[in-house]
Amino acid sequence: MKKLLLITLSIILFGSSFAQEKGIINNANSPNVKLKSINMGDCVWTDGFWAERFDVCEHHMVPYMGKLLCGDVGHALNNFKIAAGEMKGQHKGMRWHDGDFYKFMEAKTYVYAQNKDPKLLKELDEYIRIIGKAQEEDGYLQTQIQLNPKVDRYENRKYHEMYNTGHLLTSACVHYRITGKRNFLDIAIKHANLLYTLFMPEDKKYARFGFNQTQIMGLVELYRTVGDERYLKLAQKFVDNRGKYKVEETPATEGYPIGDMVQEFTPLRESSEAVGHAVLAQYYYAGAADVYAETGETAIVDALDRLWENITDQKMYVTGATGQTHYGASTNRQMIEEGFIDSYMMPNMTAYNETCANICNAMFSKRLLDIHGESKYADIMELVEFNSGLSGIGLEGEDYYYANPLRVINGTRDYKKLVTEFPERQPYLECFCCPPNLVRTVAKLSGWAYSKSENGIAVNLYGGNELKTTLLDGSKLELAQVTNYPWEGDVNITIQKCKKDAFDMLFRIPRWAKGTSIKVNGETTTTEVKEGQFASINRKWRKGDVITIDMPMEITMVEGNTRIEEVRNQVAIKRGPIVYCIESADLPEGTKITDVYLSSANEMKAVYKKDLLDGVTVIETEVLIRTNNNDETMYKTVKKPEFTKFKTQLVPNYAWSNRGQGEMTVFLPIIWK
Ligand SMILES: [Zn+2]
């Protein structure tokens, strides 16, 4: 009897815990997390904006990227084949190319979770076979080193071994969770065990080695997947090592900026300001958030809260983009690249805003959403997804931007001298970190749409979808969400299956959505509905209940803090979560974007155009175009400006540059009438 009870208990326990283990982030058993991930595949986009983007992802973004990376253009799979002895040749691509291939595999795995196409699984299996063969006996796996006889393992951190490792571990964990197959996971475990033996002992040689620290996220995820505490301890060690050692040039740091650039000047627990490379910083903060989720150390989460506030209140663009400059200095006067500079210093034209950095902002925010359970973090995720994330890829899903400036003016930048900035999206980027990062984000976004709360479900993102999930108490919940968001603000959610007992439904009311109302079966709810918070309704829900959320989609003019000099007397146009811009395609030929002004007296009207840019709501208005500003001298005596009127439209910023090369601006000077 006792034995039977034990077996039954273990089935219940194993059954319920396994059911929670297919999240993008598997925080099912993380003790310091308020909101838990749904399983990948529980939510599927059915209709509308994200369903269309996912369709492009499934049919264009992922297959096209596969052709690039598995062929000779991208050469990423070739690198593994050469290391595996199945092909002759040399390593090609950046030192972090392996990591970017793992990200592509991750994207493919998310697509598989939603469409269950066995062909994808077979292709993944073939990559894994080659990668496994490329892996050395002791677990080492870095083709950029293995194929370079001049360099030794872990000799210099600029070779990005940690970055590749992080993406290997994350991708392998996701693959195991979604497919149940161990082939990729076993490679990751073997690799992580080697990492543990080298980096866990107190060894000065390796002490400052961790930078571009995706390995922290990867190690925590591996700990969550297999339960081996060594991986969590090693992740913690990588956090603790930053800022612990004297910042000085060593053979291991040659060739890449040190100090603030790689967040090794100030220990995390003492940090209040986001510094350095924006991608490195936010991957690091996201990894530290994963460590906190498991350990609960207050000093870490307090620091992360300060850093998040610093980023989103003082260093973030209106599009959710981060990393103001390509080259610059930190406030500690240390050289930085592709990253954060002073607060409120927000250039538009030279804004760097690497697609990866914007996505990292969303990844960091997602982790704080889970930890704190507050909707403001999901607001930032959404801001990035609809704006500075999506602007990194063309509508057809086959060309890419690395940098995402807020203003582009012809003839002002020498693109030949710039490595990662282009006047138009490119079909291939030699530095290929951003494309698979964005594609995996689009592929997994349905997994971010909902979270499980202690006794219910939280709606984080809106979009037509169906959710079939299991709540934390093991009860089944099925919902259907119907909406034309973000073009319209009404959302209908129908309960298709739920438990008999009362439970919570949390609805994110975005900070911009002033005056939102929620009705249940047509009746206004007594629940407090406040923008910037989750509205929580607890009741005995029944099959067929319909929740209607009505978010007013006002066209708003957004001005910057007075300390942002670059946008004084200018406004950006926003409607719901979408940030707009004006571009050459909608202006008379030869118009300089800097001559275009808005007038507060002119009406702005939202119009949905199904045949434009794959279907967008534009803002129609009459702009003023200055006609007497042709003097290009640096300073000149001002004359009274003269304007002509022109009826036109503003388009969503994410969809810019899909109608030929031209100029664009998000912020426009305004004439107040
Ligand atoms: Zn990137």
Side-chain angles (χ1 to χ4, degrees):
M1 184 63 196
K2 225 176 182 178
K3 213 174 177 181
L4 189 71
L5 190 72
L6 262 175
I7 292 167
T8 318
L9 249 175
S10 66
I11 287 171
I12 292 168
L13 280 173
F14 178 76
S16 70
S17 79
F18 184 76
Q20 310 295 339
E21 281 178 355
K22 291 186 182 179
I24 298 163
I25 300 167
N26 176 17
N27 53 20
N29 300 309
S30 305
N32 307 292
V33 164
K34 287 201 175 114
L35 294 177
K36 310 270 179 168
S37 303
I38 56 166
N39 286 346
M40 266 316 293
D42 279 6
C43 173
V44 177
W45 302 118
T46 48
D47 204 12
F49 190 91
W50 288 118
E52 286 159 21
R53 270 343 97 173
F54 182 79
D55 188 67
V56 174
C57 180
E58 181 184 3
H59 296 108
H60 297 276
M61 294 182 194
V62 169
Y64 173 75
M65 192 169 283
K67 266 187 221 153
L68 286 177
L69 293 180
C70 301
D72 294 334
V73 175
H75 201 78
L77 190 61
N78 288 354
N79 289 336
F80 287 108
K81 282 183 186 167
I82 298 163
E86 294 192 353
M87 192 177 173
K88 291 259 180 285
Q90 288 179 331
H91 182 273
K92 278 189 204 159
M94 298 292 180
R95 292 153 183 162
W96 45 94
H97 215 39
D98 288 4
D100 297 336
F101 191 74
Y102 300 136
K103 271 188 282 183
F104 157 69
M105 290 174 70
E106 195 186 331
K108 205 164 192 166
T109 312
Y110 293 133
V111 173
Y112 171 77
Q114 291 158 87
N115 75 3
K116 299 285 178 340
D117 180 354
K119 192 170 155 268
L120 298 182
L121 205 55
K122 233 177 115 190
E123 287 163 358
L124 283 162
D125 275 344
E126 175 60 5
Y127 309 151
I128 295 164
R129 183 194 67 75
I130 297 163
I131 291 167
K133 215 170 153 194
Q135 185 172 37
E136 294 184 19
E137 261 315 293
D138 65 356
Y140 190 73
L141 179 60
Q142 305 277 349
T143 67
Q144 79 282 20
I145 304 290
Q146 290 168 283
L147 302 179
N148 184 348
K150 291 182 195 149
V151 193
D152 220 351
R153 295 172 177 198
Y154 304 112
E155 185 182 287
N156 186 315
R157 61 188 189 183
K158 75 179 176 190
Y159 290 100
H160 283 73
E161 282 151 297
M162 292 302 155
Y163 172 86
N164 290 342
T165 290
H167 288 301
L168 165 65
L169 304 186
T170 300
S171 191
C173 288
V174 164
H175 178 265
Y176 169 69
R177 280 178 205 156
I178 289 171
T179 67
K181 299 177 77 149
R182 285 195 65 101
N183 47 351
F184 202 13
L185 184 68
D186 287 337
I187 294 170
I189 290 171
K190 202 169 154 188
H191 184 75
N193 290 345
L194 173 71
L195 212 66
Y196 185 84
T197 59
L198 291 175
F199 288 88
M200 198 61 201
E202 202 64 38
D203 183 345
K204 250 193 135 176
K205 189 181 161 202
Y206 294 129
R208 287 168 60 209
F209 215 85
F211 96 109
N212 208 349
Q213 310 215 71
T214 62
Q215 87 279 8
I216 302 176
M217 280 182 282
L219 283 163
V220 176
E221 225 43 68
L222 190 61
Y223 159 71
R224 288 165 172 165
T225 307
V226 300
D228 187 334
E229 282 210 353
R230 287 180 308 160
Y231 308 136
L232 177 61
K233 288 204 170 101
L234 184 57
Q236 168 98 54
K237 175 110 183 159
F238 280 115
V239 173
D240 295 347
N241 275 357
R242 305 314 284 163
K244 188 168 149 191
Y245 297 91
K246 192 176 172 200
V247 176
E248 58 187 352
E249 287 284 5
T250 70
T253 67
E254 261 170 35
Y256 203 88
I258 59 173
D260 272 345
M261 169 70 170
V262 298
Q263 301 81 39
E264 63 174 353
F265 187 68
T266 311
L268 181 78
R269 293 170 183 80
E270 295 164 26
S271 292
S272 299
E273 186 183 8
V275 291
H277 195 292
V279 178
L280 271 57
Q282 292 172 105
Y283 272 147
Y284 173 35
Y285 305 154
D290 283 337
V291 170
Y292 167 79
E294 303 306 321
T295 65
E297 189 193 329
T298 317
I300 287 190
V301 78
D302 287 350
L304 294 175
D305 289 346
R306 291 193 299 271
L307 290 163
W308 189 84
E309 298 287 343
N310 177 249
I311 293 169
T312 56
D313 283 350
Q314 298 179 26
K315 297 192 178 190
M316 186 181 77
Y317 284 90
V318 70
T319 55
T322 55
Q324 301 113 296
T325 191
H326 195 155
Y327 301 103
S330 71
T331 44
N332 297 316
R333 286 184 261 171
Q334 296 175 17
M335 181 182 145
I336 66 106
E337 292 175 12
E338 307 184 301
F340 295 112
I341 46 176
D342 290 9
S343 293
Y344 303 110
M345 197 185 276
M346 313 296 294
N348 290 307
M349 198 174 74
T350 56
Y352 197 63
N353 296 341
E354 179 179 342
T355 306
C356 280
N358 310 340
I359 291 167
C360 287
N361 184 16
M363 289 170 69
F364 179 30
S365 298
K366 172 65 169 73
R367 283 156 171 84
L368 291 184
L369 168 73
D370 295 341
I371 288 168
H372 295 302
E374 290 172 36
S375 75
K376 63 180 181 183
Y377 302 104
D379 282 357
I380 298 295
M381 289 155 55
E382 176 178 80
L383 184 69
V384 170
E385 299 314 332
F386 279 120
N387 300 291
S388 53
L390 268 191
S391 61
I393 197 159
L395 292 174
E396 79 306 315
E398 298 180 2
D399 52 10
Y400 317 105
Y401 269 138
Y402 190 99
N404 298 276
L406 274 75
R407 181 172 297 156
V408 172
I409 305 172
N410 285 341
T412 51
R413 310 205 78 189
D414 186 354
Y415 289 106
K416 274 187 237 108
K417 283 190 190 151
L418 300 167
V419 196
T420 42
E421 287 132 308
F422 305 96
E424 283 184 279
R425 292 189 187 84
Q426 302 292 303
Y428 180 68
L429 301 174
E430 208 173 324
C431 178
F432 205 69
C433 54
C434 299
N437 207 7
L438 180 52
V439 170
R440 72 170 176 165
T441 305
V442 176
K444 76 180 177 188
L445 201 63
S446 62
W448 279 5
Y450 297 89
S451 298
K452 296 171 195 182
S453 65
E454 194 183 354
N455 181 31
I457 195 91
V459 187
N460 303 324
L461 302 175
Y462 296 108
N465 69 64
E466 272 185 10
L467 174 75
K468 290 182 182 177
T469 196
T470 311
L471 294 181
L472 294 177
D473 64 3
S475 64
K476 299 265 181 242
L477 177 69
E478 293 184 18
L479 306 174
Q481 188 180 140
V482 177
T483 178
N484 196 20
Y485 193 89
W487 311 128
E488 286 163 34
D490 52 319
V491 176
N492 284 285
I493 298 174
T494 306
I495 296 188
Q496 295 183 322
K497 187 186 247 186
C498 70
K499 64 176 174 179
K500 285 201 177 95
D501 298 337
F503 66 94
D504 302 326
M505 287 196 69
L506 281 66
F507 306 96
R508 180 177 64 92
I509 313 301
R511 208 174 72 172
W512 51 262
K514 289 187 174 61
T516 296
S517 67
I518 300 183
K519 288 179 180 166
V520 178
N521 300 327
E523 284 176 29
T524 305
T525 165
T526 54
T527 302
E528 189 190 17
V529 180
K530 196 158 179 265
E531 68 273 9
Q533 294 182 4
F534 277 115
S536 175
I537 304 179
N538 179 284
R539 57 182 272 163
K540 285 185 178 175
W541 298 95
R542 292 287 171 263
K543 184 182 172 182
D545 282 349
V546 179
I547 305 109
T548 311
I549 307 156
D550 192 2
M551 293 171 263
M553 284 277 176
E554 305 281 344
I555 301 168
T556 53
M557 293 192 287
V558 181
E559 67 174 342
N561 186 296
T562 51
R563 291 163 70 178
I564 311 173
E565 290 190 69
E566 293 87 343
V567 297
R568 296 290 292 139
N569 299 317
Q570 296 173 52
V571 293
I573 302 300
K574 202 167 170 239
R575 181 174 179 269
I578 301 286
V579 177
Y580 284 81
C581 68
I582 192 155
E583 60 172 334
S584 296
D586 295 311
L587 292 167
E589 211 183 325
T591 305
K592 286 191 286 181
I593 209 84
T594 41
D595 281 337
V596 183
Y597 289 63
L598 289 174
S599 167
S600 65
N602 292 343
E603 191 200 1
M604 292 194 194
K605 201 172 142 200
V607 180
Y608 182 74
K609 295 190 174 172
K610 76 172 172 39
D611 296 324
L612 180 71
L613 300 167
D614 287 356
V616 288
T617 293
V618 302
I619 308 296
E620 288 186 345
T621 191
E622 188 175 77
V623 297
L624 299 171
I625 301 172
R626 194 171 164 188
T627 54
N628 63 341
N629 193 24
N630 297 320
D631 182 353
E632 292 285 339
T633 51
M634 190 153 178
Y635 301 103
K636 56 189 179 261
T637 307
V638 73
K639 294 172 197 155
K640 188 170 190 263
E642 289 165 14
F643 295 99
T644 54
K645 293 173 179 175
F646 185 70
K647 280 199 171 125
T648 186
Q649 61 188 6
L650 285 84
V651 297
N653 179 240
Y654 77 80
W656 93 279
S657 191
N658 281 285
R659 295 175 291 166
Q661 198 269 316
E663 300 189 336
M664 177 278 289
T665 187
V666 170
F667 276 97
L668 285 150
I670 184 156
I671 295 166
W672 297 100
K673 290 265 168 88

